[in-house]
Amino acid sequence: MTITQQQKNTASVFAILTGLISIPLTWMTIREPLLLSGLGNSVHLPIGQLNVTGVNGTITFLFKSPIWFIVGIAISANVIQLMQNSRQFAIPWFAGWVTSIFGVIWIGIGICVALFSDKATLGIGSLLGFFCAGVALFCVIVPTSTQEDPLPTITDAS
């Protein structure tokens, strides 16, 4: 399966928009959140649930990263896809791979934590963020068609 560069560009633009939209939306809702003190004791917060957004949330995998930073990397992976065939920019081939894989793994970790936790539910922001990262990875993996498909023509056979 191959797709054209124009199709990749269109998908990347939509992915950038969904990444930007995902930041203020709810990524997950945590019921009965715990506050860990410096002494190792945990205290229940008086609120019933905590909404995690791309602005106030973090994902910890190897190191603690703000969600807005992870979405920014997924957006930059799509921007790299847009600039890949540009004459003005010399982007190394591995830059698209590294940024897209990083975004998919980190956002995927956050989604897995919400799915497999009994105190958290998944929000729409995480799905939109994962779409943003997934499109970049898809565009890196699927080869680009070098030749545009011609439009079909109708001929008169009379």
Side-chain angles (χ1 to χ4, degrees), residues 27-149:
W27 278 60
M28 67 181 69
T29 302
I30 303 172
R31 293 180 303 278
E32 301 174 7
L34 294 175
L35 178 64
L36 297 176
S37 68
L39 302 174
N41 300 331
S42 60
V43 178
H44 283 282
L45 294 177
I47 57 175
Q49 66 184 20
L50 176 67
N51 288 331
V52 178
T53 66
V55 178
N56 69 358
T58 60
I59 297 174
T60 303
F61 177 66
L62 301 178
F63 55 91
K64 193 173 188 177
S65 306
I67 293 176
W68 60 263
F69 179 72
I70 304 297
V71 173
I73 289 175
I75 289 171
S76 66
N78 284 293
V79 170
I80 288 172
Q81 288 303 311
L82 288 173
M83 297 185 320
Q84 196 69 34
N85 293 331
S86 174
R87 294 181 189 163
Q88 290 83 14
F89 301 100
I91 299 172
W93 64 270
F94 63 87
W97 280 96
V98 170
T99 54
S100 60
I101 290 172
F102 180 85
V104 166
I105 288 174
W106 255 260
I107 294 172
I109 295 282
I111 289 174
C112 287
V113 166
L115 287 177
F116 295 116
S117 172
D118 59 342
K119 294 194 177 223
T121 57
L122 202 58
I124 188 70
S126 58
L127 299 176
L128 292 176
F130 191 73
F131 174 78
C132 177
V135 166
L137 186 61
F138 177 80
C139 288
V140 167
I141 291 173
V142 175
T144 304
S145 173
T146 57
Q147 186 178 29
E148 295 290 325
D149 294 330

